[in-house]
């Protein structure tokens, strides 16, 4: 599929908001350009503290419930069409926040795995390994998109991907309308920026 609509939607969203959301929250930008900063032989990134992993897992659980009730990532009063894909977006944002805050590189996936293990304990149902690997893979796709986008103003692009997946817009035979994608992404922006900020505060308290 031609994915140029994602870039067009991101441009529309960026033009609408600039550097801040309507509430005044700063829209995140990429500060870690590549993995060139991962110096061979450098000390490994410390894992998340258990209380950090637990706090983030609780936050994810609360957000999933709020999504189901149409309180997060809602569009025109309707909850996300695909809750699993909305959670994928949150996992991607979490992985991005880990990489930006800790320069975590490849170890970020293990940090995210620890969070998901805590989430499984919290819900009393551990994710099957195959589902967990798929989930981690989707989060990695968001991180890759974050790193590969050609400028620092990448958050609107990530939201365009999230909106497309969460509302199953790529199912449309003629291809998604960039303006439609941008409208949904705009409705999700505040919730995504808030979550990113909460994660970076939790992870940064080390």
């Amino acid at each position: 599929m031609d994915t140029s609509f994602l870039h067009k939607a991101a441009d529309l969203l960026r033009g609408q908001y600039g550097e801040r959301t309507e509430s005044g929250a700063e829209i995140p930008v990429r500060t870690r350009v590549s993995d060139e900063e991962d110096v061979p032989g450098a000390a490994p990134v410390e894992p998340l503290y258990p209380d950090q992993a637990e706090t983030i897992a609780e936050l994810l659980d609360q957000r999933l419930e709020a999504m189901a009730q149409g309180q997060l990532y809602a569009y025109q009063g309707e909850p996300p069409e695909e809750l699993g894909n909305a959670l994928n977006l949150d996992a991607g944002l979490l992985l991005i926040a880990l990489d930006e805050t800790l320069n975590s590189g490849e170890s970020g996936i293990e940090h995210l795995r620890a969070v998901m293990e805590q989430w499984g304990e919290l819900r009393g149902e551990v994710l099957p390994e195959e589902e967990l690997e798929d989930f981690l893979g989707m989060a990695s796709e968001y991180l890759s998109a974050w790193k590969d986008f050609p400028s620092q103003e990448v958050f609107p692009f990530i939201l365009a991907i999230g909106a497309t997946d969460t509302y199953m817009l790529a199912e449309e035979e003629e291809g998604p309308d960039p303006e439609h994608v941008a409208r949904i992404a705009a409705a999700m922006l505040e919730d995504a920026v808030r979550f990113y900020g909460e994660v970076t505060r939790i992870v940064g308290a080390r």
Side-chain angles (χ1 to χ4, degrees):
M1 184 200 326
D2 179 9
T3 57
S4 62
F5 72 90
L6 291 170
H7 292 270
K8 293 175 182 175
D11 285 341
L12 290 168
L13 191 61
R14 188 179 304 109
Q16 182 179 353
Y17 286 98
E19 297 179 354
R20 294 185 178 274
T21 67
E22 289 182 354
S23 71
E26 188 173 352
I27 296 175
V29 297
R30 184 176 57 219
T31 59
R32 202 165 106 84
V33 177
S34 72
D35 287 334
E36 292 178 1
E37 299 168 42
D38 297 335
V39 180
V45 175
E46 291 290 330
L48 293 177
Y49 297 141
D51 63 315
Q52 289 176 314
E54 184 177 353
T55 299
I56 295 171
E58 290 173 351
L59 180 58
L60 282 175
D61 196 54
Q62 292 165 6
R63 287 178 65 83
L64 183 61
E65 296 299 323
M67 290 174 200
Q69 296 171 22
Q71 297 171 354
L72 282 178
Y73 293 156
Y75 179 63
Q76 295 183 340
E78 294 296 322
E81 187 169 335
E82 180 50 63
L83 287 177
N85 289 351
L87 192 62
N88 285 341
L89 170 60
D90 271 7
L93 293 174
L94 170 53
L95 193 55
I96 290 166
L98 287 168
D99 196 62
E100 287 285 351
T101 307
L102 302 179
N103 289 351
S104 60
E106 294 182 3
S107 63
I109 285 290
E110 295 309 311
H111 291 20
L112 180 54
R113 182 186 294 274
V115 170
M116 297 315 297
E117 288 173 354
Q118 284 285 340
W119 188 65
E121 291 183 16
L122 186 65
R123 296 185 70 85
E125 48 180 349
V126 177
L127 276 176
E129 186 63 25
E130 184 175 349
E131 290 184 23
L132 177 59
E133 290 301 325
D134 287 345
F135 185 78
L136 296 176
M138 288 303 300
S140 296
E141 290 294 325
Y142 277 101
L143 178 59
S144 295
W146 173 269
K147 289 182 175 181
D148 292 344
F149 192 80
S151 76
Q152 285 193 326
E153 298 176 344
V154 62
F155 205 79
F157 181 68
I158 297 298
L159 259 290
I161 298 173
T164 301
D165 291 345
T166 298
Y167 282 88
M168 307 294 284
L169 302 181
E171 300 290 312
E172 300 174 5
E173 187 175 340
E174 67 278 8
D177 173 14
E179 292 188 2
H180 187 205
V181 174
R183 285 194 296 271
I184 294 178
M188 299 171 68
L189 180 63
E190 289 279 3
D191 294 331
V193 170
R194 186 181 305 112
F195 176 65
Y196 185 93
E198 288 174 341
V199 170
T200 54
R201 283 192 292 274
I202 292 167
V203 174
R206 299 175 68 81

